[in-house]
Amino acid sequence: MKINSSDLLESITGEKIERETFKITSTKLKKDPNNALTPVFSYLQKSLKKPTAVEATVTIKKDVLCKFQTNIINLPYNYPNKIEQLTNADTEYDLQLYAIFEAEDINASHLRIDLMGTVDDFLAGDADVYKNISDWMKLQFEKLEPDKTKQE
């Protein structure tokens, strides 16, 4: 699935983003990310039928969020000007699915964003995309755990 940079930016800046919020505990996500994220995956499968800006936000704890966003570059929607600067308005790009982890202790910027795969692969049920998400989620919690131990 492809999208023009200008169309995506219009959706982002015009707040025409398909959004849904979910609450999933860290215990469930650590134990079995794929199973815990089933409602999120179902939402994304439904919402990604057309090329547009889509976001699924998972509230894990008060200060820990995970977002899944469609984009053409690895930047969150909070940076539309940067997206515009780094892309060509009339160029079609592959629509990608990115995972964004927001937590104070994840790193210095309090944000981690990584490519999970193309929207086409996600919609096709590509096992690699789902494995990327599961492995990525486990890794983010592993990064948080040493910091928690230091604080106690």
Side-chain angles (χ1 to χ4, degrees):
M1 181 177 300
K2 295 198 178 280
I3 189 169
N4 276 346
S5 176
S6 57
D7 293 340
L8 181 67
L9 284 164
E10 184 179 316
S11 294
I12 295 169
T13 57
E15 286 296 314
K16 296 175 188 164
I17 301 169
E18 299 281 334
R19 286 193 162 119
E20 188 70 41
T21 302
F22 302 86
K23 174 106 174 92
I24 304 172
T25 65
S26 59
T27 305
K28 288 181 181 178
L29 285 166
K30 287 180 204 174
K31 184 177 178 183
D32 186 359
N34 274 343
N35 191 40
L37 291 168
T38 297
V40 177
F41 293 155
S42 295
Y43 165 74
L44 290 171
Q45 285 282 345
K46 283 188 282 188
S47 300
L48 294 173
K49 299 292 184 201
K50 58 183 180 193
T52 189
V54 174
E55 177 181 83
T57 301
V58 179
T59 303
I60 302 165
K61 294 179 182 177
K62 186 175 112 179
D63 57 347
V64 180
L65 292 175
C66 179
K67 294 180 182 178
F68 296 93
Q69 291 181 347
T70 57
N71 211 326
I72 55 178
I73 189 169
N74 66 336
L75 286 170
Y77 293 157
N78 304 9
Y79 303 100
N81 293 339
K82 276 284 185 204
I83 295 169
E84 186 174 23
Q85 289 172 357
L86 296 170
T87 61
N88 296 320
D90 295 327
T91 301
E92 279 196 330
Y93 294 89
D94 284 327
L95 195 57
Q96 311 278 355
L97 181 63
Y98 289 91
I100 304 164
F101 202 86
E102 296 178 11
E104 189 171 315
D105 297 331
I106 198 68
N107 59 29
S109 68
H110 312 294
L111 179 131
R112 177 72 203 186
I113 182 169
D114 289 292
L115 174 65
M116 296 295 108
T118 68
V119 167
D120 287 337
D121 287 344
F122 180 81
L123 288 174
D126 187 322
D128 287 342
V129 176
Y130 289 87
K131 181 168 178 11
N132 285 348
I133 293 169
S134 181
D135 291 348
W136 181 86
M137 188 65 74
K138 288 177 186 176
L139 180 62
Q140 303 321 304
F141 283 112
E142 287 171 11
K143 289 178 183 176
L144 288 179
E145 293 304 318
D147 290 335
K148 292 234 180 256
T149 307
K150 285 183 213 169
Q151 291 174 0
E152 293 175 359

Coordinates of all heavy atoms in Angstrom, one line a residue, residues 72-145:
I72 N 5.4 7.0 6.8 CA 6.3 6.7 5.7 C 7.8 6.9 6.1 O 8.7 6.6 5.3 CB 6.0 7.6 4.5 CG1 6.0 9.1 4.9 CG2 4.6 7.2 3.9 CD1 5.7 10.1 3.8
I73 N 8.0 7.3 7.3 CA 9.3 7.6 7.9 C 9.3 7.4 9.4 O 8.2 7.5 10.0 CB 9.7 9.0 7.5 CG1 11.2 9.3 7.8 CG2 8.8 10.1 8.1 CD1 11.7 10.6 7.3
N74 N 10.4 7.0 10.0 CA 10.4 6.7 11.4 C 10.4 7.9 12.3 O 11.3 8.1 13.1 CB 11.5 5.7 11.7 CG 12.9 6.4 11.6 OD1 13.0 7.3 10.8 ND2 13.9 5.9 12.3
L75 N 9.3 8.6 12.2 CA 9.1 9.7 13.1 C 7.6 9.7 13.6 O 6.7 9.3 12.8 CB 9.3 11.1 12.4 CG 10.7 11.5 12.1 CD1 10.7 12.7 11.2 CD2 11.4 11.8 13.4
P76 N 7.4 10.0 14.9 CA 6.0 10.0 15.4 C 5.2 11.2 14.7 O 5.8 12.1 14.2 CB 6.2 10.3 16.9 CG 7.6 10.1 17.2 CD 8.3 10.2 15.9
Y77 N 3.9 11.1 14.8 CA 3.0 12.1 14.3 C 3.3 13.5 14.9 O 2.9 14.5 14.3 CB 1.6 11.8 14.5 CG 1.1 10.6 13.7 CD1 0.0 9.8 14.1 CD2 1.7 10.2 12.5 CE1 -0.5 8.8 13.3 CE2 1.3 9.1 11.8 CZ 0.2 8.4 12.2 OH -0.2 7.3 11.5
N78 N 3.9 13.5 16.1 CA 4.2 14.8 16.8 C 5.2 15.7 15.9 O 5.3 16.9 16.3 CB 4.9 14.6 18.1 CG 4.1 13.7 19.0 OD1 3.1 13.1 18.6 ND2 4.5 13.5 20.2
Y79 N 5.8 15.2 14.9 CA 6.8 15.9 14.1 C 6.4 16.1 12.6 O 7.2 15.7 11.8 CB 8.1 15.2 14.2 CG 8.6 15.1 15.7 CD1 8.5 13.9 16.3 CD2 9.1 16.2 16.4 CE1 8.9 13.7 17.7 CE2 9.5 16.0 17.7 CZ 9.4 14.8 18.3 OH 9.8 14.7 19.6
P80 N 5.2 16.6 12.3 CA 4.8 16.8 10.9 C 5.8 17.6 10.1 O 6.0 17.3 8.9 CB 3.4 17.4 11.0 CG 3.4 18.0 12.3 CD 4.3 17.2 13.2
N81 N 6.4 18.6 10.7 CA 7.3 19.5 9.9 C 8.5 18.7 9.5 O 9.0 18.9 8.4 CB 7.7 20.7 10.8 CG 6.5 21.7 11.0 OD1 5.5 21.6 10.2 ND2 6.6 22.5 12.0
K82 N 9.0 17.9 10.4 CA 10.2 17.1 10.1 C 9.9 16.0 9.0 O 10.6 15.8 8.1 CB 10.7 16.3 11.3 CG 11.6 17.1 12.2 CD 13.0 17.2 11.5 CE 14.0 18.0 12.3 NZ 15.0 18.5 11.6
I83 N 8.7 15.4 9.1 CA 8.2 14.5 8.1 C 8.2 15.2 6.7 O 8.7 14.7 5.7 CB 6.9 13.9 8.4 CG1 7.0 13.0 9.7 CG2 6.3 13.0 7.3 CD1 5.6 12.6 10.3
E84 N 7.6 16.4 6.7 CA 7.5 17.2 5.5 C 8.9 17.5 4.9 O 9.2 17.4 3.7 CB 6.8 18.5 5.7 CG 6.5 19.3 4.5 CD 5.6 20.5 4.8 OE1 5.5 20.9 5.9 OE2 5.0 20.9 3.8
Q85 N 9.9 17.9 5.8 CA 11.2 18.2 5.4 C 12.0 17.0 4.8 O 12.8 17.1 3.9 CB 12.0 18.7 6.5 CG 11.6 20.1 7.0 CD 12.4 20.5 8.3 OE1 13.1 19.7 8.8 NE2 12.1 21.7 8.7
L86 N 11.7 15.8 5.3 CA 12.4 14.6 4.9 C 11.8 13.8 3.8 O 12.3 12.8 3.4 CB 12.7 13.8 6.2 CG 13.5 14.4 7.2 CD1 13.5 13.6 8.5 CD2 15.0 14.6 6.7
T87 N 10.6 14.3 3.3 CA 10.0 13.5 2.2 C 9.6 14.5 1.1 O 9.6 15.7 1.3 CB 8.7 12.8 2.8 OG1 7.8 13.8 3.3 CG2 9.0 11.8 3.8
N88 N 9.2 14.0 0.0 CA 8.8 14.8 -1.2 C 7.3 14.7 -1.3 O 6.7 13.6 -1.3 CB 9.4 14.2 -2.5 CG 10.9 14.4 -2.5 OD1 11.5 15.3 -2.0 ND2 11.6 13.3 -3.0
A89 N 6.6 15.9 -1.3 CA 5.2 16.0 -1.2 C 4.4 15.1 -2.2 O 3.4 14.5 -1.9 CB 4.8 17.4 -1.4
D90 N 4.9 15.1 -3.5 CA 4.2 14.4 -4.5 C 4.7 12.9 -4.8 O 4.3 12.3 -5.8 CB 4.2 15.2 -5.8 CG 3.4 16.5 -5.7 OD1 2.5 16.5 -4.9 OD2 3.9 17.5 -6.3
T91 N 5.5 12.5 -3.9 CA 6.1 11.1 -4.1 C 5.2 10.1 -3.3 O 4.8 10.4 -2.1 CB 7.5 11.1 -3.6 OG1 8.3 12.0 -4.3 CG2 8.1 9.7 -3.7
E92 N 5.0 9.0 -3.9 CA 4.3 7.9 -3.2 C 5.3 7.0 -2.4 O 6.4 6.7 -3.0 CB 3.5 7.0 -4.2 CG 2.2 7.5 -4.6 CD 1.3 6.5 -5.3 OE1 1.9 5.5 -5.9 OE2 0.1 6.6 -5.1
Y93 N 5.0 6.8 -1.2 CA 5.9 5.9 -0.3 C 5.1 4.7 0.1 O 3.9 4.8 0.3 CB 6.3 6.8 0.9 CG 7.2 7.9 0.6 CD1 6.7 9.2 0.3 CD2 8.6 7.8 0.6 CE1 7.5 10.3 0.0 CE2 9.4 8.9 0.4 CZ 8.8 10.1 0.1 OH 9.7 11.2 -0.2
D94 N 5.8 3.7 0.5 CA 5.2 2.5 1.1 C 4.7 2.9 2.5 O 5.4 3.6 3.2 CB 6.2 1.4 1.3 CG 6.5 0.6 0.0 OD1 5.5 0.5 -0.9 OD2 7.6 0.2 -0.2
L95 N 3.5 2.6 2.8 CA 3.0 2.8 4.1 C 3.5 1.8 5.1 O 3.3 0.6 4.8 CB 1.4 2.9 4.1 CG 0.7 3.5 5.3 CD1 1.2 4.9 5.5 CD2 -0.8 3.4 5.1
Q96 N 4.1 2.2 6.1 CA 4.8 1.3 7.1 C 4.1 1.3 8.4 O 3.4 2.3 8.7 CB 6.2 1.7 7.3 CG 7.0 2.0 6.1 CD 7.6 0.8 5.4 OE1 7.5 -0.3 6.0 NE2 8.2 0.9 4.3
L97 N 4.3 0.3 9.2 CA 3.8 0.2 10.5 C 5.0 0.4 11.5 O 5.9 -0.4 11.5 CB 3.0 -1.1 10.8 CG 2.4 -1.3 12.2 CD1 1.3 -0.2 12.4 CD2 1.8 -2.7 12.3
Y98 N 4.9 1.4 12.4 CA 5.9 1.6 13.3 C 5.4 1.4 14.7 O 4.2 1.7 15.0 CB 6.4 3.1 13.2 CG 7.2 3.3 12.0 CD1 6.6 3.8 10.8 CD2 8.6 3.1 12.0 CE1 7.4 4.0 9.7 CE2 9.4 3.3 10.8 CZ 8.7 3.8 9.7 OH 9.5 4.0 8.5
A99 N 6.3 1.0 15.6 CA 5.9 0.8 17.0 C 6.7 1.9 17.8 O 7.9 2.1 17.5 CB 6.3 -0.6 17.5
I100 N 6.0 2.6 18.7 CA 6.7 3.6 19.5 C 6.4 3.3 21.0 O 5.3 3.1 21.4 CB 6.0 5.0 19.1 CG1 6.1 5.3 17.6 CG2 6.6 6.1 20.0 CD1 5.2 6.4 17.1
F101 N 7.5 3.3 21.7 CA 7.5 3.0 23.1 C 7.8 4.3 23.8 O 8.9 4.9 23.6 CB 8.4 1.9 23.5 CG 8.1 1.2 24.8 CD1 7.2 0.2 24.8 CD2 8.7 1.6 26.0 CE1 6.9 -0.5 26.0 CE2 8.4 0.9 27.2 CZ 7.5 -0.1 27.2
E102 N 7.0 4.8 24.7 CA 7.2 6.1 25.4 C 7.3 5.8 26.9 O 6.3 5.3 27.5 CB 6.1 7.1 25.1 CG 6.0 7.5 23.7 CD 4.9 8.5 23.5 OE1 4.3 9.0 24.4 OE2 4.6 8.8 22.3
A103 N 8.4 6.0 27.5 CA 8.6 5.8 28.9 C 9.8 6.6 29.3 O 10.8 6.7 28.6 CB 8.8 4.3 29.3
E104 N 9.8 7.2 30.5 CA 10.9 8.0 31.0 C 12.2 7.2 31.0 O 13.2 7.8 30.7 CB 10.5 8.6 32.4 CG 11.5 9.6 32.8 CD 11.1 10.3 34.1 OE1 9.9 10.7 34.2 OE2 11.9 10.5 34.9
D105 N 12.1 6.0 31.4 CA 13.4 5.2 31.6 C 13.8 4.4 30.4 O 14.8 3.6 30.5 CB 13.2 4.2 32.8 CG 13.0 5.0 34.1 OD1 13.5 6.1 34.2 OD2 12.3 4.4 35.0
I106 N 13.2 4.6 29.2 CA 13.5 3.7 28.1 C 14.8 4.2 27.5 O 15.7 3.4 27.0 CB 12.4 3.7 27.0 CG1 12.6 2.5 26.1 CG2 12.3 5.0 26.3 CD1 12.4 1.2 26.7
N107 N 15.1 5.5 27.4 CA 16.3 6.1 26.9 C 16.3 7.6 27.2 O 15.4 8.1 27.8 CB 16.6 5.8 25.4 CG 15.5 6.3 24.5 OD1 14.8 7.3 24.8 ND2 15.3 5.7 23.4
A108 N 17.4 8.3 26.8 CA 17.5 9.7 27.1 C 16.4 10.5 26.5 O 15.9 11.5 27.0 CB 18.8 10.2 26.6
S109 N 15.8 10.1 25.3 CA 14.8 10.9 24.7 C 13.4 10.5 25.2 O 12.4 11.0 24.8 CB 14.8 10.7 23.2 OG 14.5 9.4 22.8
H110 N 13.3 9.4 26.0 CA 12.1 8.9 26.6 C 11.2 8.3 25.5 O 10.0 8.1 25.7 CB 11.3 9.9 27.4 CG 12.1 10.7 28.3 ND1 12.7 10.1 29.4 CD2 12.5 12.0 28.4 CE1 13.4 11.0 30.1 NE2 13.3 12.2 29.5
L111 N 11.7 8.0 24.3 CA 11.0 7.5 23.2 C 11.8 6.5 22.4 O 13.0 6.8 22.1 CB 10.5 8.7 22.4 CG 9.7 8.3 21.1 CD1 8.5 9.2 21.1 CD2 10.5 8.6 19.9
R112 N 11.2 5.4 22.0 CA 11.9 4.5 21.1 C 10.9 4.2 19.9 O 9.7 3.9 20.2 CB 12.2 3.2 21.9 CG 12.8 2.1 21.0 CD 14.2 2.4 20.7 NE 14.6 1.7 19.5 CZ 15.8 1.7 19.0 NH1 16.7 2.4 19.6 NH2 16.1 1.0 17.9
I113 N 11.3 4.3 18.7 CA 10.5 4.1 17.5 C 11.2 3.1 16.6 O 12.4 3.3 16.3 CB 10.1 5.4 16.8 CG1 9.1 5.1 15.6 CG2 11.3 6.2 16.4 CD1 8.5 6.3 15.0
D114 N 10.5 2.1 16.1 CA 11.1 1.1 15.2 C 10.1 0.6 14.2 O 8.9 0.6 14.5 CB 11.7 -0.1 16.0 CG 12.9 0.2 16.9 OD1 13.9 0.5 16.3 OD2 12.8 0.3 18.1
L115 N 10.6 0.3 13.0 CA 9.8 -0.2 12.0 C 9.4 -1.7 12.3 O 10.3 -2.5 12.6 CB 10.6 -0.2 10.6 CG 9.9 -0.8 9.4 CD1 8.6 -0.1 9.1 CD2 10.9 -0.8 8.3
M116 N 8.2 -2.0 12.2 CA 7.7 -3.4 12.4 C 7.5 -4.1 11.1 O 7.6 -5.3 11.0 CB 6.4 -3.4 13.2 CG 6.5 -2.8 14.6 SD 7.6 -3.8 15.7 CE 9.0 -2.7 15.8
G117 N 7.2 -3.4 10.0 CA 7.0 -3.9 8.7 C 6.1 -3.1 7.9 O 5.6 -2.0 8.3
T118 N 5.8 -3.5 6.7 CA 4.9 -2.7 5.8 C 3.5 -3.0 6.2 O 3.2 -4.1 6.8 CB 5.1 -3.1 4.3 OG1 4.6 -4.4 4.1 CG2 6.5 -2.9 3.8
V119 N 2.6 -2.1 5.9 CA 1.2 -2.3 6.2 C 0.7 -3.5 5.4 O -0.1 -4.3 5.8 CB 0.4 -1.0 5.9 CG1 -1.1 -1.3 5.8 CG2 0.7 0.1 6.9
D120 N 1.1 -3.6 4.1 CA 0.7 -4.7 3.3 C 1.1 -6.1 3.9 O 0.2 -7.0 3.9 CB 1.4 -4.6 1.9 CG 0.8 -3.6 1.0 OD1 -0.4 -3.2 1.3 OD2 1.5 -3.1 0.1
D121 N 2.3 -6.2 4.5 CA 2.7 -7.4 5.1 C 1.9 -7.7 6.4 O 1.5 -8.8 6.7 CB 4.2 -7.4 5.5 CG 5.1 -7.5 4.3 OD1 4.6 -8.0 3.2 OD2 6.3 -7.2 4.4
F122 N 1.6 -6.6 7.2 CA 0.8 -6.8 8.3 C -0.6 -7.3 8.0 O -1.2 -8.2 8.6 CB 0.7 -5.4 9.1 CG -0.2 -5.5 10.3 CD1 0.3 -6.0 11.5 CD2 -1.5 -5.1 10.3 CE1 -0.5 -6.1 12.7 CE2 -2.3 -5.2 11.4 CZ -1.8 -5.7 12.6
L123 N -1.2 -6.6 7.0 CA -2.6 -7.0 6.5 C -2.6 -8.4 6.0 O -3.6 -9.1 6.1 CB -3.1 -6.0 5.5 CG -3.5 -4.6 6.0 CD1 -3.9 -3.7 4.9 CD2 -4.6 -4.7 7.0
A124 N -1.5 -8.9 5.4 CA -1.4 -10.2 4.8 C -1.2 -11.3 5.9 O -1.2 -12.4 5.6 CB -0.3 -10.3 3.8
G125 N -1.0 -10.8 7.1 CA -0.8 -11.7 8.2 C 0.6 -12.3 8.3 O 0.8 -13.4 8.8
D126 N 1.6 -11.6 7.7 CA 2.9 -12.0 7.7 C 3.4 -12.3 9.1 O 3.5 -11.4 9.9 CB 3.8 -10.9 7.0 CG 5.2 -11.4 6.7 OD1 5.8 -12.1 7.6 OD2 5.8 -11.0 5.7
A127 N 3.8 -13.5 9.3 CA 4.3 -14.0 10.7 C 5.5 -13.2 11.1 O 5.7 -12.9 12.3 CB 4.6 -15.4 10.7
D128 N 6.4 -12.7 10.2 CA 7.5 -12.0 10.6 C 7.2 -10.6 11.2 O 7.8 -10.2 12.2 CB 8.5 -11.7 9.4 CG 9.2 -13.0 8.9 OD1 9.3 -13.9 9.7 OD2 9.7 -13.0 7.8
V129 N 6.1 -10.0 10.7 CA 5.7 -8.7 11.3 C 5.2 -8.9 12.7 O 5.6 -8.2 13.6 CB 4.6 -8.0 10.4 CG1 4.1 -6.7 11.1 CG2 5.2 -7.7 9.0
Y130 N 4.4 -9.9 12.9 CA 3.9 -10.2 14.3 C 5.0 -10.6 15.2 O 5.0 -10.2 16.4 CB 2.8 -11.2 14.2 CG 1.5 -10.7 13.6 CD1 1.3 -10.7 12.2 CD2 0.5 -10.2 14.3 CE1 0.2 -10.2 11.6 CE2 -0.6 -9.6 13.8 CZ -0.8 -9.7 12.4 OH -1.9 -9.2 11.8
K131 N 6.0 -11.4 14.7 CA 7.1 -11.8 15.5 C 8.0 -10.5 15.9 O 8.4 -10.4 17.0 CB 8.0 -12.8 14.8 CG 9.2 -13.3 15.6 CD 9.8 -14.5 15.1 CE 11.0 -15.0 15.8 NZ 11.3 -14.5 17.1
N132 N 8.1 -9.6 14.9 CA 8.9 -8.4 15.1 C 8.2 -7.6 16.3 O 8.9 -7.1 17.2 CB 8.9 -7.5 13.9 CG 9.8 -7.9 12.8 OD1 10.7 -8.8 13.1 ND2 9.7 -7.4 11.7
I133 N 6.9 -7.5 16.3 CA 6.2 -6.8 17.3 C 6.4 -7.5 18.7 O 6.7 -6.8 19.7 CB 4.7 -6.6 16.9 CG1 4.6 -5.7 15.7 CG2 3.9 -6.1 18.1 CD1 3.2 -5.7 15.1
S134 N 6.2 -8.8 18.7 CA 6.3 -9.5 19.9 C 7.7 -9.4 20.5 O 7.9 -9.1 21.7 CB 6.0 -11.0 19.7 OG 6.1 -11.7 20.8
D135 N 8.7 -9.6 19.7 CA 10.1 -9.5 20.1 C 10.5 -8.1 20.6 O 11.2 -7.9 21.6 CB 11.1 -10.0 19.0 CG 11.0 -11.4 18.7 OD1 10.4 -12.2 19.5 OD2 11.6 -11.9 17.7
W136 N 10.0 -7.1 19.8 CA 10.3 -5.7 20.1 C 9.7 -5.4 21.5 O 10.3 -4.7 22.3 CB 9.7 -4.9 19.0 CG 9.9 -3.4 19.2 CD1 11.1 -2.7 18.8 CD2 9.0 -2.5 19.8 NE1 10.9 -1.4 19.1 CE2 9.7 -1.2 19.7 CE3 7.8 -2.5 20.3 CZ2 9.1 0.0 20.2 CZ3 7.2 -1.4 20.8 CH2 7.8 -0.2 20.7
M137 N 8.4 -5.8 21.7 CA 7.8 -5.5 23.0 C 8.5 -6.1 24.2 O 8.8 -5.4 25.2 CB 6.3 -6.0 23.0 CG 5.5 -5.6 24.1 SD 5.2 -3.8 24.2 CE 4.0 -3.6 22.9
K138 N 9.0 -7.3 24.0 CA 9.7 -8.0 25.1 C 11.0 -7.2 25.4 O 11.4 -7.0 26.5 CB 10.1 -9.4 24.8 CG 8.9 -10.3 24.8 CD 9.2 -11.7 24.4 CE 8.0 -12.6 24.3 NZ 8.3 -14.0 23.8
L139 N 11.7 -6.8 24.3 CA 13.0 -6.0 24.4 C 12.8 -4.7 25.2 O 13.6 -4.3 26.0 CB 13.6 -5.8 23.0 CG 14.9 -5.0 23.0 CD1 16.0 -5.8 23.7 CD2 15.3 -4.8 21.5
Q140 N 11.7 -4.0 24.9 CA 11.5 -2.7 25.6 C 11.3 -2.9 27.1 O 11.8 -2.1 27.9 CB 10.2 -2.0 25.0 CG 10.3 -1.8 23.5 CD 11.6 -1.3 23.0 OE1 12.2 -0.4 23.5 NE2 12.1 -2.1 22.0
F141 N 10.6 -4.0 27.5 CA 10.5 -4.3 28.9 C 11.8 -4.7 29.5 O 12.1 -4.3 30.7 CB 9.4 -5.3 29.2 CG 8.0 -4.7 29.0 CD1 7.2 -5.1 28.0 CD2 7.5 -3.8 30.0 CE1 5.9 -4.6 27.9 CE2 6.2 -3.3 29.9 CZ 5.4 -3.7 28.8
E142 N 12.6 -5.4 28.8 CA 13.9 -5.8 29.3 C 14.8 -4.5 29.5 O 15.5 -4.5 30.5 CB 14.6 -6.7 28.3 CG 14.1 -8.1 28.3 CD 14.6 -9.0 27.2 OE1 15.6 -8.5 26.5 OE2 14.1 -10.0 26.9
K143 N 14.6 -3.5 28.7 CA 15.4 -2.3 28.9 C 14.9 -1.5 30.1 O 15.7 -0.8 30.7 CB 15.2 -1.4 27.6 CG 15.9 -1.9 26.4 CD 15.7 -1.0 25.2 CE 16.3 -1.5 24.0 NZ 16.0 -0.6 22.8
L144 N 13.6 -1.6 30.4 CA 13.1 -0.9 31.6 C 13.4 -1.6 32.9 O 13.6 -1.0 33.9 CB 11.5 -0.8 31.5 CG 11.0 0.1 30.5 CD1 9.4 0.1 30.5 CD2 11.4 1.5 30.7
E145 N 13.5 -2.9 32.9 CA 13.7 -3.7 34.1 C 15.0 -3.3 34.9 O 15.0 -3.1 36.1 CB 13.7 -5.2 33.9 CG 12.3 -5.7 33.5 CD 11.2 -5.4 34.4 OE1 11.4 -5.5 35.7 OE2 10.1 -5.0 34.0

